[in-house]
Amino acid sequence: MNYANFPLDKRVPLPGTDAEKGEDFIDIERLLGMAARQAKVVAVCAIIGLFMGVLYLQTTPKQYISVASVLIDEGLNKVVDDISAASATMQTDASLLSQIEILTSARLASVVVDKLKLDQNQEFMNPPTSALAKGIGFVRGLVGYFRGSSGPDIPGLENVDAATREAMMATARRDYAILKLQSEVLAQRNGRSYVIDIGYQSTDPALATAITKAFSEAYLADQLNASFDATERAAVWLQGRLTELRESSQKAALAVEMFRAEHGLSAGSDGQLISDKQLSDLNSQLIVAQADTARASARYQQYKAIVDSGSDNAFQDSAISSDQPASSVIATLKTRYLTVSKRLQDVEANFGKDHPQAVALAKEKADVSAQIFGQLKQLTESYRNDYQVAQARETALKEKIATAAGKSSIDNQSQVKLRDLDQQATALTTLYQTFLSRYEEASQQQSFPVGKVRIISDATMPLSAVGPRTSKVLALTLVLGVLLGAGFGGLNEFNERFFRTGEDIRDRVGLKFLGYLPTIGGGKPGKDAKPDDVQADAKIASLSAAEKRARMRVSIDAPASMFAETLRNAKIAFDVVMEGQGSKVIGVISLLPGEGKSTVAANLAGLLAANGAKTLLIDGDLRNPGLSRSLGMETEQGLMEAVVSGQTWQSVGKVDRQTKLAIIPAVLRGQFSHTSELLSSAGMRRFIENAKETFEYIVVDLPPLGPVVDAKAFAPLADGFVLVTEWGRTPRAVVRSMLESEPYVANKIVGAVLNKVDLKKLAKYGSLGGSEKFFDKYSTYYLDKSETRTRAAA
């Protein structure tokens, strides 16, 4: 894989920021993997938490609580309200909270302190505390000491005599006891009921019971005293008000009578004023007179219209009321008129109009009609006189009413003032009677010993401790331990900046992953690896010569091991990338010292030689020839001498008898520092060209890329590089930085291997379905005999 083809912004993501931004925000698989990796840390912290919980339980004194219950009894309220001067309303949430404040008040606490002499009780004043509380107190004391605080003092205490000082100290102890009791007493409402629970917690169950009982009794006595005091104050105040109200009521009644006499506002038996009664009578008479006038006017107008119509029409319109005296005369005339008219019609019909009898009847008819008209005129004149009389009577009544109304208006204005005075007098009298009744009730209430609260559950001796609760403490400390372990585990995961899987190699730096190389020789990988050359030399020096050589021959001694299989995979990668080349120059590089590149180079070369390929192994680390030391090659001439003097590989090389592997050692020459120029010189190029004529593979162990530039100088002569990174130690950022800053070297890297892998831990870092999860199944293909031989050789 050519690293140069990767865009710079996608080659190596920054640690802690995944390149896969398109993935789900919450990666459950990753979280489970983290949990599995950090399970030991979480378990250790959980065990520590449980231990701390047990330690807390062992050092903390047990706490006992005693509880009493009081009821705000509405039934008792009704009994009291029947005779009480002040009405009691239903208890609301606000009033119940007020009762709780009374229970926790300093006044009630002082009563209990004085009753039980708590300021002299050492169990109350200085109760035993837990080791944790003692530790916190000790720390506070140290902080106060360094801040220069000497603790609370009583001002002026140093200037008084012993007796006064003792009194002041006693007062201070009492005040402290009151404040302590006030802050420690428990009072709360029981659900939505009118019951208030009172409790106190102490290390002494008898003390807790005594304090709770004293509090409930003090609260009951306080309610009785409060009711008695309120009633007594109300009675005293009512007595003073009664005297004032009695005098005011008498003055108001006297003012009413004086005003009535002064304005002559006497009233009849029905309470109505005389002027008002006269005006009412006149109005009634006026109504009757107006009705008579209307009736007389109607009759007069009717008959006047009949008379005005003439005598010819008088007979047709002569309707007369039956109550008139002339009605009988007019009725007789009308009967006679009709009789004559009928006879006249008969005569004229038989004998004609000129007949003497017809003429006589016509004359008689006209005479009767004249008599009827005369009677109507007389009746009309009589009705006119009646109408005029009715009008005169109505006018006279109106004048009387106007006179009476003027007098009534004056009386009514005075009556308004009189009514106002009477209302004031009535109100004062009613108020006086009310206050008198309340005064009598308050006087009776003073001697009525019933409170509005009662104790429904007295304090009893607690039989078991309420704290500390073992299950809760252990559960809490366990949870805290787990959370602390999760925090440490998360911190460990956050600090994870190293290569753990092949996926990290591919995704983080864009290189081909060649495989895992397990730890050999029983040494611990990762954090136990030495970070610099001196420490690496010290570690290698601590091994025996046989152990060192065994490390360099794992692929030869255990050809069926996983270690050898990974190197075979690397060989295939070289062959594919460098297909067609006659001889292949392969450089083995790393970023940091101590990552095991010399071991990888030696085993890779040994594997190639064991497979029958002509292979040359060159120790190109001229500053720290660890490969030569591990192989136990002690010579006077090496790579440097061959390159400088222009010698061929045969003059300085050594050949392994078993594998026919040719090895070019390196000899350390004092403080020689121009190794990079040597590796990039023309002599080095001639040396390599000469070796290519003989060997199919030339494996070069090069110095680390981080501290020196030797590997960069050798890059033009190499056909490809194998990058060795130590599992769990090589930072990803370092590799990424090198690849970005050295593209010429990056372009020639065939792939990377992870060295010193702990196979037991590797599975925890693999993704679900990854090859890391199946190494147990793969082990059937790695011969146990070979692995045993590897360990024996180590």
Side-chain angles (χ1 to χ4, degrees):
M1 182 178 293
N2 193 342
Y3 184 80
N5 295 331
F6 278 77
L8 291 178
D9 59 340
K10 294 184 180 179
R11 288 181 185 174
V12 185
L14 291 175
T17 59
D18 292 334
E20 300 82 358
K21 293 298 183 181
E23 293 183 356
D24 295 340
F25 179 71
I26 298 178
D27 192 343
I28 302 299
E29 180 183 338
R30 185 180 179 187
L31 293 177
L32 292 177
M34 291 180 180
R37 290 191 293 272
Q38 303 300 327
K40 288 185 178 180
V41 176
V42 175
V44 169
C45 291
I47 292 173
I48 294 174
L50 285 175
F51 174 75
M52 296 302 294
V54 172
L55 183 62
Y56 175 79
L57 291 172
Q58 294 297 322
T59 58
T60 302
K62 294 184 178 180
Q63 298 288 330
Y64 300 87
I65 187 171
S66 180
V67 179
S69 300
V70 296
L71 171 66
I72 310 299
D73 197 342
E74 292 300 326
L76 293 179
N77 282 345
K78 294 178 180 179
V79 173
V80 176
D81 290 342
D82 290 339
I83 62 170
S84 176
S87 61
T89 58
M90 289 291 291
Q91 297 292 329
T92 61
D93 290 344
S95 62
L96 286 174
L97 291 176
S98 300
Q99 295 300 319
I100 292 176
E101 291 299 320
I102 293 174
L103 275 167
T104 58
S105 64
R107 182 167 62 87
L108 214 60
S110 64
V111 173
V112 177
V113 168
D114 294 338
K115 180 179 180 180
L116 300 179
K117 294 182 171 51
L118 294 178
D119 54 336
Q120 302 174 18
N121 190 326
Q122 290 300 318
E123 185 69 24
F124 173 79
M125 298 294 287
N126 298 301
T129 57
S130 64
L132 178 62
K134 291 178 181 178
I136 295 174
F138 178 74
V139 172
R140 288 180 177 175
L142 287 180
V143 173
Y145 175 79
F146 286 110
R147 287 183 177 179
S149 175
S150 59
D153 293 327
I154 301 176
L157 188 62
E158 65 280 357
N159 299 324
V160 298
D161 55 16
T164 306
R165 184 183 296 107
E166 183 64 27
M168 294 178 67
M169 291 296 293
T171 302
R173 283 196 303 271
R174 180 178 181 274
D175 294 340
Y176 172 75
I178 292 172
L179 292 175
K180 184 175 184 296
L181 182 61
Q182 184 182 2
S183 62
E184 292 177 353
V185 68
L186 306 174
Q188 63 181 10
R189 184 180 182 182
N190 192 339
R192 300 296 298 172
S193 65
Y194 294 119
V195 176
I196 298 177
D197 294 329
I198 308 170
Y200 186 78
Q201 183 173 310
S202 174
T203 56
D204 184 3
L207 180 62
T209 304
I211 291 177
T212 304
K213 186 177 295 185
F215 251 106
S216 58
E217 292 174 353
Y219 176 62
L220 183 60
D222 181 77
Q223 291 293 313
L224 291 172
N225 293 335
S227 177
F228 179 80
D229 293 342
T231 306
E232 185 179 13
R233 287 193 298 270
V236 173
W237 181 81
L238 287 172
Q239 187 176 10
R241 286 291 295 161
L242 281 173
T243 303
E244 298 176 3
L245 289 174
R246 183 171 57 250
E247 295 176 356
S248 300
S249 177
Q250 292 175 353
K251 290 180 180 179
L254 182 61
V256 170
E257 296 302 326
M258 291 178 63
F259 186 84
R260 180 180 284 116
E262 181 179 351
H263 292 81
L265 299 176
S266 58
S269 58
D270 56 355
Q272 188 177 10
L273 293 176
I274 296 176
S275 58
D276 290 342
K277 189 173 182 181
Q278 290 178 350
L279 181 60
S280 177
D281 294 341
L282 290 174
N283 283 327
S284 299
Q285 293 177 16
L286 177 61
I287 292 172
V288 174
Q290 288 175 342
D292 293 342
T293 302
R295 186 167 54 252
S297 175
R299 287 187 301 187
Y300 169 67
Q301 294 297 333
Q302 180 184 11
Y303 282 94
K304 182 174 181 301
I306 293 173
V307 171
D308 292 341
S309 64
S311 60
D312 294 336
N313 297 324
F315 179 78
Q316 288 81 5
D317 298 329
S318 58
I320 302 173
S321 301
S322 60
D323 59 346
Q324 297 297 326
S327 61
S328 59
V329 177
I330 293 176
T332 303
L333 292 175
K334 287 180 69 175
T335 302
R336 182 181 174 187
Y337 181 84
L338 292 173
T339 303
V340 172
S341 295
K342 185 174 182 352
R343 289 176 60 192
L344 176 61
Q345 290 177 357
D346 293 340
V347 171
E348 287 179 351
N350 295 321
F351 303 104
K353 295 182 178 180
D354 296 332
H355 190 274
Q357 189 175 0
V359 173
L361 289 172
K363 182 178 179 182
E364 184 179 0
K365 178 180 178 182
D367 183 53
V368 172
S369 176
Q371 292 180 11
I372 291 173
F373 186 72
Q375 290 294 326
L376 288 173
K377 288 175 67 177
Q378 292 179 2
L379 191 58
T380 300
E381 186 65 22
S382 174
Y383 284 149
R384 185 179 68 82
N385 293 332
D386 292 341
Y387 172 64
Q388 290 177 349
V389 171
Q391 276 187 327
R393 183 169 177 268
E394 180 181 352
T395 302
L397 286 173
K398 287 182 178 180
E399 292 176 354
K400 291 181 180 181
I401 288 173
T403 302
K407 186 176 184 305
S408 178
S409 176
I410 296 174
D411 291 343
N412 286 337
Q413 294 177 5
S414 300
Q415 183 70 9
V416 171
K417 179 63 176 176
L418 178 63
R419 190 177 298 111
D420 182 60
L421 293 174
D422 188 58
Q423 288 176 352
Q424 292 181 7
T426 303
L428 288 173
T429 302
T430 304
L431 186 60
Y432 173 74
Q433 295 296 332
T434 301
F435 270 72
L436 182 61
S437 176
R438 288 296 181 90
Y439 173 73
E440 295 296 335
E441 292 174 356
S443 298
Q444 295 296 325
Q445 177 66 12
Q446 290 182 11
S447 58
F448 196 78
V450 176
K452 300 181 182 181
V453 298
R454 62 189 178 96
I455 300 174
I456 61 173
S457 177
D458 205 354
T460 58
M461 182 78 70
L463 300 178
S464 60
V466 296
R469 295 185 179 179
T470 303
S471 58
K472 288 188 175 181
V473 171
L474 293 180
L476 179 60
T477 54
L478 177 61
V479 170
L480 291 178
V482 171
L483 293 178
L484 184 63
F488 281 123
L491 183 61
N492 291 338
E493 292 292 330
F494 179 78
N495 291 329
E496 180 63 52
R497 297 291 185 268
F498 313 108
F499 292 105
R500 293 291 185 178
T501 63
E503 186 178 354
D504 291 341
I505 297 290
R506 290 189 294 267
D507 297 340
R508 301 285 183 169
V509 295
L511 295 178
K512 179 179 178 61
F513 178 61
L514 301 178
Y516 298 103
L517 295 174
T519 302
I520 57 176
K524 293 183 179 179
K527 295 180 180 179
D528 291 340
K530 304 301 179 183
D532 52 50
D533 292 343
V534 176
Q535 292 176 335
D537 291 341
K539 179 179 178 181
I540 295 174
S542 65
L543 300 176
S544 65
E547 290 174 340
K548 295 177 183 178
R549 286 193 296 271
R551 286 175 177 271
M552 301 299 174
R553 297 176 57 87
V554 173
S555 60
I556 300 172
D557 297 336
S561 65
M562 179 181 179
F563 194 95
E565 197 66 27
T566 299
L567 295 180
R568 289 191 184 93
N569 186 47
K571 174 186 177 298
I572 294 173
F574 304 149
D575 294 340
V576 171
V577 173
M578 303 175 191
E579 185 178 5
Q581 292 185 215
S583 179
K584 307 175 183 64
V585 180
I586 302 170
V588 181
I589 59 175
S590 66
L591 267 296
L592 303 175
E595 293 189 82
K597 60 175 179 54
S598 298
T599 303
V600 174
N603 282 278
L604 176 61
L607 178 67
L608 294 172
N611 290 338
K614 293 181 179 180
T615 307
L616 174 63
L617 174 61
I618 299 175
D619 187 354
D621 192 350
L622 300 176
R623 302 193 187 196
N624 183 27
L627 175 64
S628 300
R629 286 195 299 267
S630 298
L631 292 174
M633 302 181 67
E634 298 180 359
T635 61
E636 294 296 330
Q637 292 183 339
L639 179 63
M640 182 184 299
E641 287 75 16
V643 173
V644 171
S645 60
Q647 301 178 29
T648 62
W649 68 271
Q650 293 89 345
S651 60
V652 295
K654 304 290 182 182
V655 179
D656 183 79
R657 295 178 182 179
Q658 179 182 355
T659 61
K660 306 304 180 182
L661 172 66
I663 305 172
I664 305 297
V667 180
L668 185 61
R669 298 294 182 184
Q671 298 297 326
F672 182 74
S673 59
H674 301 288
T675 54
S676 59
E677 288 82 354
L678 182 66
L679 292 175
S680 61
S681 65
M684 187 66 186
R685 182 179 295 276
R686 286 192 300 270
F687 182 84
I688 295 297
E689 292 297 333
N690 177 261
K692 284 184 176 181
E693 297 176 358
T694 305
F695 298 101
E696 299 177 35
Y697 296 96
I698 300 174
V699 179
V700 183
D701 178 23
L702 295 170
L705 285 169
V708 292
V709 298
D710 293 13
K712 304 173 189 176
F714 184 77
L717 303 179
D719 296 321
F721 290 106
V722 176
L723 178 63
V724 178
T725 58
E726 184 174 348
W727 186 82
R729 176 171 174 258
T730 305
R732 297 190 295 258
V734 173
V735 178
R736 181 188 64 179
S737 176
M738 183 278 293
L739 295 175
E740 291 179 346
S741 61
E742 302 296 338
Y744 186 73
V745 176
N747 291 338
K748 290 191 174 185
I749 295 178
V750 177
V753 295
L754 279 176
N755 194 24
K756 302 182 183 180
V757 177
D758 187 344
L759 296 180
K760 293 182 179 179
K761 295 182 179 179
L762 180 62
K764 296 180 180 179
Y765 292 92
S767 60
L768 187 63
S771 61
E772 297 81 6
K773 299 289 186 181
F774 301 97
F775 278 151
D776 290 340
K777 296 182 181 295
Y778 296 166
S779 62
T780 58
Y781 284 86
Y782 305 138
L783 298 181
D784 296 338
K785 179 174 61 177
S786 300
E787 294 294 340
T788 304
R789 187 184 303 118
T790 300
R791 293 190 178 92

